[in-house]
Amino acid sequence: MSTLSIMTLHGQEAPISPEVLLELTSKVGGKIMQKGDPGYDDARRIWNGMVDRSPALIVRCAGSADVVQAIAFARQHQLLLAVRSGGHNIAGNAVCEGGLMIDLSGMMGVRVDPVAKKAWVEPGATLADLDRETQAFGLAVPTGINSTTGIAGLTLGGGFGWITRKFGLTIDSLVSADVITAEGKLVRASAEENEDLFWAIRGGGGNFGIVTGFEFNLHPVGPEVLSGLVVHPFEDAAKLLKQYRAAVDNAPEELTCWAVMRRAPPLPFLPTDWHGREVLILAMCYLGDPAEGARVTQELRSLGKPIADVVGPHRFVDWQGAFDPLLSPGARNYWKSHDLDGLPDGAIEAIVDAVHTLPSDEAEVFIAHVGGAMSHVAPDATAFPQRRSHFVMNVHARWRDRKDDSHCTAWARHLFGATEPFATGSAYVNFMPDDETERVEKIYGLNYRRLAEIKGQYDPDNVFRLNQNIRPVPHHTGHLA
Ligand SMILES: Cc1cc2nc3c(=O)[nH]c(=O)nc-3n(C[C@H](O)[C@H](O)[C@H](O)COP(=O)(O)OP(=O)(O)OC[C@H]3O[C@@H](n4cnc5c(N)ncnc54)[C@H](O)[C@@H]3O)c2cc1C
């Protein structure tokens, strides 16, 4: 073993001797990896293929004790530190160049108490892991629409998906969390303990410590839900989007319908001559009696002249993974996102124009339909600031070849700019790419100041800085000078 050179928080290389490394290895129950070790490349590879960074050291933790050791090691040597759970974040902060990566992906346990309707979840669990365990008892936590996403990053940013309109954001079901602070202390955050921290981690991301356990309330869902896709020719999109807007305006909280615009993938239920042509997809899910769902979805399903309608009863776990084939890891991805409280004609025109100039076969525009139960919570009740949005638009440029980078990112930025006049100004922190650091303060709005103070209390040295970063301000002790 030779001396390891590792990046510090101050941008310098620090030498770590074999003895020091051996000492760390002896304290850790999980696995320690360097370049060339088996498993190293898998651990550093994340969902967004644009991110290709090589940490000097990866600690794959087996439990909270390993996290404590890894943080202590990082503090002692002032190391640049990245935290990885599901590895899905578009900005790629889960992995750092030359520093220390704390990898939680091996901690993926989920325990369910079906009587108390509670689940205890480790940070490396994916949405699929969680749904599999909870759906065995007809229960669920509201999460996102791609089952390979990590529960940790999703929850810390807010979390929304098919059942949010009925049961709120993921954070609205969070009861408590075990957090290892920058000082290496394990604390519990809940409505009764460390309330400030509990407020901050519900939307404030990975700024405040490393979460090693989440406790969620569960809700009755499924096991089948009325769900599926209605696929339309894109030439009708402008008219259809206006009709969609009217239909979802009055939708009950049980109904969620997202609009997705892209070139048609080769889905088995689409006639082959439609593959590769632009389409508008209405993706819907109704929670409750499927017969009632058939009645409630009728207005949306009778719009226009669809190419295909595959709405029907599906197992909720299957529906949770319905978009997985389109969102598989490894492609190059760049996102731009706005919160919208409506879909004004101007926004529809800009979106339709952009879809006519899609930069690749896999690029798409998602209009996520939110609101409902998530808007019953006050904007300052948790760190998640934007409770009133009716839609979240995600401009998703996705392509394969590095030579298309500038063309594809320019397309996303153009649509983002064209729709900006119609947006609320806030945005979902989990959809922000790595070049939006200056936007962080704005998107948290009135909650930013409190976040910065709590950051000042729990992480004054900004050890956890590879994230959508909240800059610490000195913590007030409550004593008057
Ligand atoms: C294809 C795709 C679809 C998506 N769909 C949805 C959706 O429907 N709804 C939705 O709400 N979001 C969605 N997202 C966004 C998703 O919520 C974020 O990407 C989220 O950050 C992923 O969490 P992760 O654990 O997989 O990510 P990671 O990349 O592992 O982590 C992201 C960041 O979170 C922090 N972090 C991670 N784990 C911890 C921890 N244990 N303790 C403290 N900090 C931690 C770190 O700062 C890290 O950089 C989607 C993302 C993708 C790529």
Side-chain angles (χ1 to χ4, degrees), residues 262-274:
R262 55 168 293 141
R263 291 188 192 136
L267 296 167
F269 54 83
L270 285 181
T272 48
D273 59 327
W274 274 99

Side-chain angles (χ1 to χ4, degrees), residues 83 85-89 104 144-146 150 153-154 159-160 209 211 335 428 430:
V83 181
S85 286
H88 258 243
N89 199 277
L104 303 161
I145 65 136
N146 177 211
L154 177 129
F160 62 81
V211 178
W335 291 1
Y428 182 36
N430 271 348

